[in-house]
Amino acid sequence: MKNYILVSLILAKFLIQFFLISPEYELHRDELLHLDQANHLAWGYLSVPPATSWISYLIKLLGNSIFWIKFFPALFGALTILAVWKTIEALKGNLFALLFGSLCVTFSVLFRLNTLYQPNSLDVLCWTSFYFFLIKFLNQRQAKWIYLCAIIFALGFLNKYNMIFLLLGLLPALMITKERRILLHKNVYYGVAIVIALITPNLIWQFQNNFPVFHHLNELSETQLVHVDRWNLILSLLLYFPGTFVVILFGLYALARDSAFEKYRTFFWSFFSTILIFLFFRAKDYYAIGIYPIYFAFGSVYIASLCESRIGKVLKPILIALPILFFIPIYNIAFPNKDPEYIVNNPDLYRKFGMLKWEDGKEHSLPQDFADMLGWKELAYKVDRIYSGIPNKEQTLILCDNYGQAGAINYYSKQGVRAVSFSADYLNWFDFQPQYINLIRVKNANERNREMAETSPYFEQSLDVDSVTNPNAREHGTVIFCFLRSKIDINERVKKEVEEEQAFMKR
């Protein structure tokens, strides 16, 4: 019976996941960058650690289709549900606890998170799995669970450096409980050695490239995190887990007061210490999602114990239905399942939940993630059309202003063109083997006049050819210039700019 329910939940997860994005939307700009990493495998990147590139390479081998791009985040979400299910079993939860806890996690922010191919889905899986293995160790005291914690931590670190916050939150929690004795366990240090061995290639890459992760964090702090309202991290619980966030509170209460949960009390303190660290650094609210799933396991087991009375048994069906019922209104707002025109014409509900506010701190007509999923096919099609009419195509450099533009051209192009940018990882992906004489320049709309004035003197022919016309796209107005027959050495000029930007990254 249990296995049938679990399989049904996972199948429902996959089925619903593939109906959450309206066909009007394309890939997200971050997805386009991550997919391009498959063509430039390395032990590190300016934007993310290397694990995403390994998955991208697998997607490439499978045909690079939209199905596989969306399959892997859905898979990581399904495995997170499985990890919560197994945690509830480890906590001796009954069938009601298994079903209730799993539904709370299933009908939650995971659906939103798993719509996009980003490191976040695997990040949440790694947090949940690490906590599960730690619970298994607390139950059995077997060294294998320490080693599994080490392996999953290393994988999580190689996927997203966000895993550091798990450790920073867990260590003080261990120190103030009797479970501090774990730190004296020799296998913990063997586990540390495993982690170091697994992440060393990435650390070497960071060292060789002057630790670009710090530059990335500094830039993120100055341009995005400065606009973050710390309270949003707390309030996000209401939106991320509609109607069920109280289950987390029950779990925390049980960890603090119920003797049956005493040996897991470290998790009570770990929750608050980790949240405080996120608050201190003004982390975006979705950075902390990995914390929550495991606490649904504690909460559902505790609530199940309270439902053994006659009244409690009557409440069980209602509790089972709650995650699904509360998810229905969220389904109508949190996902790109409405066409852009509908959202533009009906902004009030989206505004009420703060979804129209972008990372620049300003309000726009669409949620930022939705606007980041429009205009890419149009851009690639127009670049293809321009490229097809240029003589000496092999000597044409396609240079973009940001990684989304470059990634979109590289993914959606029908002619196999390769675009680059001074943005993100593309900075290290320039190919100077051809001697370029032509330039297709993709520029942000606000630099249209300046680009023509600054670049045209170096070419025999300069054309303002086209632009992105989709009014709902974040790239609306992005301009495509075509500069033909250079009067200068393009390679040397671009090499110099690349070197200057790389030097800036290393400072």
Side-chain angles (χ1 to χ4, degrees), residues 190-237:
Y190 294 151
V192 170
I194 290 172
V195 170
I196 292 173
L198 292 174
I199 70 173
T200 290
N202 176 250
L203 297 179
I204 292 173
W205 184 93
Q206 287 285 342
F207 174 78
Q208 291 173 338
N209 290 272
N210 206 35
F211 291 95
V213 63
F214 294 124
H215 173 85
H216 178 71
L217 291 174
N218 185 58
E219 183 180 48
L220 188 66
S221 177
E222 292 177 354
T223 61
Q224 297 182 28
L225 301 187
V226 69
H227 301 298
V228 170
D229 183 345
R230 287 190 171 96
W231 284 108
N232 281 346
L233 190 140
I234 305 299
L235 295 175
S236 64
L237 270 172

Side-chain angles (χ1 to χ4, degrees), residues 364-384:
H364 298 261
S365 59
L366 286 184
Q368 180 172 312
D369 277 347
F370 299 4
D372 268 333
M373 299 165 69
L374 296 168
W376 301 122
K377 288 182 180 179
E378 179 189 355
L379 174 63
Y381 168 78
K382 290 180 174 178
V383 168
D384 266 357

Side-chain angles (χ1 to χ4, degrees), residues 49-242:
T52 302
S53 70
W54 304 338
I55 303 167
S56 295
Y57 188 74
L58 179 56
I59 291 172
K60 181 181 177 181
L61 294 177
L62 292 169
N64 238 14
S65 68
I66 299 296
F67 173 84
W68 290 112
I69 295 169
K70 299 302 184 181
F71 171 82
F72 282 95
L75 173 64
F76 298 143
L79 291 175
T80 301
I81 296 168
L82 176 61
V84 171
W85 181 282
K86 289 297 182 182
T87 301
I88 295 171
E89 285 186 336
L91 296 173
K92 311 299 184 186
N94 59 20
L95 180 60
F96 167 75
L98 288 166
L99 182 56
F100 181 53
S102 299
L103 285 173
C104 288
V105 175
T106 301
F107 290 91
S108 70
V109 68
L110 285 190
F111 272 129
R112 171 68 186 270
L113 203 69
N114 301 151
T115 59
L116 298 179
Y117 174 58
Q118 295 176 332
N120 301 319
S121 295
L122 181 55
D123 182 54
V124 173
L125 173 60
C126 288
W127 279 68
T128 309
S129 299
F130 181 95
Y131 288 143
F132 165 63
F133 293 141
L134 180 57
I135 287 169
K136 293 293 284 186
F137 175 77
L138 293 174
N139 285 344
Q140 301 176 7
R141 303 291 169 169
Q142 295 178 354
K144 66 178 181 180
W145 300 114
I146 292 289
Y147 299 146
L148 286 171
C149 281
I151 292 169
I152 206 69
F153 180 87
L155 175 60
F157 181 89
L158 292 173
N159 171 68
K160 193 172 183 179
Y161 298 126
N162 198 41
M163 285 294 288
I164 291 293
F165 291 104
L166 182 152
L167 194 61
L168 293 176
L170 181 61
L171 284 176
L174 285 171
M175 295 299 294
I176 62 177
T177 63
K178 64 182 181 180
E179 294 302 338
R180 69 178 69 91
R181 62 180 182 267
I182 291 176
L183 300 177
L184 301 177
H185 204 294
K186 66 178 182 180
N187 290 298
V188 168
Y189 298 96
Y190 294 151
V192 170
I194 290 172
V195 170
I196 292 173
L198 292 174
I199 70 173
T200 290
N202 176 250
L203 297 179
I204 292 173
W205 184 93
Q206 287 285 342
F207 174 78
Q208 291 173 338
N209 290 272
N210 206 35
F211 291 95
V213 63
F214 294 124
H215 173 85
H216 178 71
L217 291 174
N218 185 58
E219 183 180 48
L220 188 66
S221 177
E222 292 177 354
T223 61
Q224 297 182 28
L225 301 187
V226 69
H227 301 298
V228 170
D229 183 345
R230 287 190 171 96
W231 284 108
N232 281 346
L233 190 140
I234 305 299
L235 295 175
S236 64
L237 270 172
L238 301 175
L239 184 61
Y240 287 167
F241 304 101

Side-chain angles (χ1 to χ4, degrees), residues 483-498:
F483 300 102
L484 301 175
R485 294 182 296 277
S486 176
K487 300 174 184 177
I488 62 170
D489 189 329
I490 296 182
N491 291 53
E492 288 303 316
R493 187 177 180 87
V494 175
K495 276 182 183 178
K496 183 179 179 181
E497 291 190 52
V498 169

